């Protein structure tokens, strides 16, 4: 049985801050819009346990902020589908086709706001212990380890935040950093170093995970002396950066060496009527506020493109 074809003004692929912001503006503009997200609605925002740098909120739980984004987008008329995954795309200056498991969509414009996913910890045992002691989301999986010893690997804000959050459950948290400095906010760094449950291990690199069915211990190597040490831990949480989610369109869109989508200041990609916004695009700063700005700019330009093409078709 052939799939039903549906025409749209706009398809937004990705349900993080950039995608939801674009959806809000699209709803206000009365565009026939569908937002597709086959993973977690809210993106990485939902994995932040406390957010203190988003205007309008002195402090807010990341999951709550993600819920507000979604509620506001839907209240303004945006349609959201989080269960219909994309199987294939065919995009060019002249046509845009997105095939999902259920439908074939023909939008006039597309905004890619697919964000980024955590990089895997680069050790041979990563796949062996994935979900069995190796994790990438403390909010999702931290509560499994009540009273246990845990480790966090990384050196940015995410690693600092995850370490602090995990102290809610853990007996002890090791923060493993391969250099002798952190790249995060000073307030977080100070909180980590002063926390009685957190032990910071500088100039150390995770090289091996050990255990039977579940993780039981790890080996770290000092990056200066090459000395090996063993730590008994029940889980490791990786916070070593992210990789852009560009799989569905990488053969069509121009990417940089790291795989991020290249756009101009209007969020326009190399294809007319196709835009990128948020963490998936090449840019210097990746924050919730910059993602929201990207989503706004992408939608306003997509709207102009759609209206222009509608007039051509009249």
């Amino acid at each position: 049985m052939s799939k039903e074809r549906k025409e749209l003004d706009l398809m937004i692929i990705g349900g993080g801050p950039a995608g939801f912001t674009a959806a809000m503006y699209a709803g206000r503009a009365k565009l026939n819009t569908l937002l597709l997200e086959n993973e977690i609605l809210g993106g990485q925002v939902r994995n932040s346990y406390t957010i203190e740098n988003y205007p309008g909120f002195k402090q807010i739980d990341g999951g709550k902020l993600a819920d507000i984004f979604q509620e506001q987008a839907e209240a303004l008329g945006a349609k959201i589908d989080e269960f219909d995954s994309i199987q294939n795309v065919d995009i060019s200056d002249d046509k845009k086709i997105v095939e999902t498991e259920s439908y074939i969509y023909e939008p006039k414009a597309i905004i890619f706001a697919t964000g980024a996913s955590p990089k895997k910890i680069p050790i041979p045992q990563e796949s062996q212990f994935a979900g069995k002691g190796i994790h990438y989301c403390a909010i999702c999986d931290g509560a499994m380890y009540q009273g246990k010893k845990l480790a966090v690997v990384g050196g940015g804000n995410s690693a600092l935040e995850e370490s602090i959050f995990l102290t809610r459950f853990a007996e002890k948290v090791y923060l493993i950093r391969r250099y002798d400095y952190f790249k995060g906010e000073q307030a977080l760094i100070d909180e980590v170093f002063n926390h009685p449950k957190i032990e910071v291990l500088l100039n150390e690199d995770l090289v091996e995970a050990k255990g039977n069915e579940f993780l039981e211990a790890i080996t770290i190597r000092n990056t200066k002396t090459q000395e090996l040490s063993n730590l008994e831990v029940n889980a490791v949480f990786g916070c070593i950066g992210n990789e852009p989610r560009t799989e569905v369109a990488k053969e069509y869109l121009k990417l940089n060496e790291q795989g991020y989508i290249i756009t101009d200041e209007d969020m326009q990609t190399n294809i007319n009527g196709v835009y990128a916004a948020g963490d998936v695009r090449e840019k210097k700063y990746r924050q919730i506020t910059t993602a929201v700005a990207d989503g706004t700019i992408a939608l306003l330009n997509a709207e102009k493109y759609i209206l222009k093409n509608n007039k051509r078709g009249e």
Side-chain angles (χ1 to χ4, degrees):
M1 183 180 294
S2 60
K3 295 177 182 177
E4 181 182 351
R5 304 181 82 91
K6 292 188 174 186
E7 293 186 355
L8 297 170
D9 289 324
L10 174 67
M11 174 170 281
I12 301 168
I13 302 176
F20 275 135
T21 302
M24 292 175 202
Y25 275 79
R28 285 175 56 84
K30 306 301 181 184
L31 296 175
N32 181 12
T33 302
L34 177 66
L35 185 151
L36 281 180
E37 173 58 81
N38 65 348
E39 290 194 11
I40 182 170
L41 282 169
Q44 294 186 71
V45 169
R46 194 170 289 280
N47 296 335
S48 299
Y49 75 98
T50 300
I51 295 169
E52 297 179 332
N53 58 356
Y54 190 77
F57 300 94
K58 290 182 179 179
Q59 187 179 85
I60 186 169
D61 175 81
K64 178 61 177 175
L65 183 59
D67 289 340
I68 292 172
F69 284 154
Q70 181 178 350
E71 291 165 7
Q72 190 172 359
E74 290 178 327
L76 291 168
K79 299 174 185 175
I80 298 171
D81 191 336
E82 57 179 312
F83 302 109
D84 198 9
S85 60
I86 295 173
Q87 293 186 327
N88 186 47
V89 301
D90 185 4
I91 52 178
S92 66
D93 289 342
D94 301 321
K95 68 176 180 179
K96 286 119 181 97
I97 297 173
V98 178
E99 181 179 358
T100 69
E101 291 181 352
S102 303
Y103 301 101
I104 296 176
Y105 293 100
E106 297 181 20
K108 296 183 177 70
I110 299 174
I111 297 175
F112 283 95
T114 44
S117 301
K119 288 182 179 178
K120 305 296 184 184
I121 297 173
I123 57 173
Q125 303 81 20
E126 196 281 334
S127 59
Q128 177 184 349
F129 293 111
K132 298 179 179 180
I134 292 181
H135 305 275
Y136 299 92
C137 175
I139 288 180
C140 308
D141 303 315
M144 297 165 53
Y145 298 99
Q146 188 75 42
K148 305 295 185 180
K149 292 181 179 179
L150 309 177
V152 174
V153 180
N157 280 338
S158 294
L160 296 164
E161 291 175 346
E162 299 273 272
S163 299
I164 296 166
F165 177 77
L166 286 169
T167 61
R168 297 185 179 190
F169 316 105
E171 171 192 332
K172 185 179 184 66
V173 176
Y174 296 100
L175 177 51
I176 301 168
R177 171 65 169 153
R178 65 169 53 183
Y179 302 111
D180 60 0
Y181 62 88
F182 288 94
K183 297 188 294 184
E185 297 173 6
Q186 191 60 48
L188 289 173
I189 295 171
D190 292 343
E191 186 174 354
V192 163
F193 273 92
N194 291 321
H195 202 292
K197 283 190 174 183
I198 299 175
E199 182 177 344
V200 179
L201 303 175
L202 298 174
N203 297 312
E204 298 285 355
D205 203 7
L206 175 61
V207 294
E208 186 180 7
K210 303 174 183 178
N212 293 313
E213 185 178 356
F214 294 92
L215 181 70
E216 298 172 7
I218 57 174
T219 301
I220 57 175
R221 177 188 291 123
N222 188 281
T223 56
K224 291 188 174 181
T225 67
Q226 303 305 307
E227 181 182 355
L228 296 175
S229 304
N230 290 316
L231 295 174
E232 291 186 3
V233 298
N234 299 100
V236 174
F237 289 80
C239 303
I240 57 174
N242 296 294
E243 296 175 322
R245 294 171 55 196
T246 55
E247 295 84 4
V248 297
K250 61 184 179 181
E251 68 176 281
Y252 299 99
L253 301 179
K254 188 175 181 181
L255 310 177
N256 68 7
E257 292 181 358
Q258 291 74 43
Y260 290 93
I261 301 172
I262 297 172
T263 72
D264 60 18
E265 291 185 358
D266 291 333
M267 307 299 141
Q268 172 75 53
T269 69
N270 56 296
I271 298 177
N272 290 331
V274 178
Y275 305 83
D279 287 1
V280 75
R281 82 176 189 93
E282 179 185 51
K283 59 180 181 176
K284 188 174 182 179
Y285 299 111
R286 292 183 171 85
Q287 299 287 314
I288 303 173
T289 48
T290 62
V292 167
D294 285 358
T296 303
I297 295 167
L299 186 282
L300 293 176
N301 285 294
E303 181 186 7
K304 289 181 180 179
Y305 175 85
I306 292 165
L307 293 175
K308 184 177 180 181
N309 279 313
N310 283 345
K311 288 181 179 179
R312 285 177 180 172
E314 291 176 354

